Amino acid sequence: MKCKALRFGKGFRVAFDARRAQAAEMVIAPGDSEGGPDNRHRGADQWLYVVAGTGLAIVEDRRKALKAGSLLVIERGERHEIRNTGRTLLKTLNFYHPPAFDADGELLSPGRS
């Protein structure tokens, strides 16, 4: 069993991973974004849950408004960007299957978990 209290400090931070999945927290300041037109996870699906704030997800050129309680699945290989469109921090809890990042938050190569 693993357990961790999440802080939701600014930026992206891997919480921990198990053999087949990984949890991470991401906080985006108002007006900022993460990802971009070439951002994709070739080897992992990303499940993004909005804990607080409002934003916009752009996935393969499709736009979806985000708010607290929203759950978004970004499938492996889909290009995506998450933008904070609100006045407060956009706080998200993300799960990757299989793990997509190393402990320092660097992207793993496809097929490596």
Side-chain angles (χ1 to χ4, degrees), residues 53 71 104 109 112:
L71 178 63
D104 295 323
S109 63
R112 196 174 132 218

Side-chain angles (χ1 to χ4, degrees), residues 12-112:
F12 180 84
R13 192 173 294 101
V14 172
F16 56 76
D17 56 72
R19 291 181 304 171
R20 297 187 182 129
Q22 182 175 59
E25 53 188 290
M26 181 171 64
V27 177
I28 304 171
D32 286 350
S33 66
E34 288 289 333
D38 297 322
N39 181 52
R40 64 179 76 202
H41 310 294
R42 296 182 190 277
D45 294 329
Q46 177 181 357
W47 292 67
L48 180 146
Y49 178 76
V50 179
V51 175
T54 58
L56 177 69
I58 304 169
V59 181
E60 291 294 329
D61 298 320
R62 293 176 301 176
R63 295 171 178 260
K64 181 67 178 168
L66 301 172
K67 63 181 181 177
S70 295
L71 178 63
L72 175 71
V73 177
I74 302 166
E75 295 185 50
R76 67 186 71 212
E78 289 185 318
R79 292 175 293 115
H80 62 280
E81 178 180 2
I82 307 298
R83 295 180 184 168
N84 183 338
T85 58
R87 295 181 184 179
T88 61
L89 295 174
L90 175 61
K91 299 178 181 182
T92 68
L93 178 59
N94 302 271
F95 296 95
Y96 299 91
H97 182 265
F101 297 90
D102 66 18
D104 295 323
E106 296 297 322
L107 195 61
L108 294 172
S109 63
R112 196 174 132 218

